Amino acid sequence: MSSTIHESMGKITTTLVVKLELEEPRIWMDDIQLRLGLWQGFYRESDRAWLCWYDTDCDWVLTPEERERQ
């Protein structure tokens, strides 16, 4: 765990970063009933790992552009 303090325009903020060791490739967030996970692939002219949302069945939640194409 690490913490940093930032000052901008007279306002001080603290950022807390926690490194998680995951047993699964996705994290379930009970409050919003979604999983957050990584997807490796090509999107918006970049091939890399992307954060993406998954539903309760572990199906990928489509972006608005992807929904329009289907």
Side-chain angles (χ1 to χ4, degrees):
M1 182 176 353
S2 66
S3 177
T4 58
I5 298 174
H6 306 276
E7 183 178 356
S8 176
M9 297 190 301
K11 185 176 180 182
I12 297 175
T13 59
T14 302
T15 303
L16 178 65
V17 178
V18 178
K19 182 178 178 181
L20 299 174
E21 296 295 328
L22 301 177
E23 294 178 15
E24 296 182 29
R26 299 177 187 104
I27 299 171
W28 175 250
M29 297 183 194
D30 200 42
D31 295 358
I32 59 173
Q33 296 291 298
L34 288 171
R35 298 177 195 276
L36 184 63
L38 288 176
W39 171 74
Q40 178 68 44
F42 191 79
Y43 178 70
R44 295 196 176 187
E45 302 180 17
S46 293
D47 188 13
R48 55 178 261 184
W50 297 91
L51 282 174
C52 56
W53 295 106
Y54 296 86
D55 64 16
T56 56
D57 297 322
C58 291
D59 293 325
W60 185 3
V61 177
L62 300 176
T63 65
E65 295 95 357
E66 292 164 333
R67 275 194 302 265
E68 283 181 21
R69 286 190 296 238
Q70 288 194 342

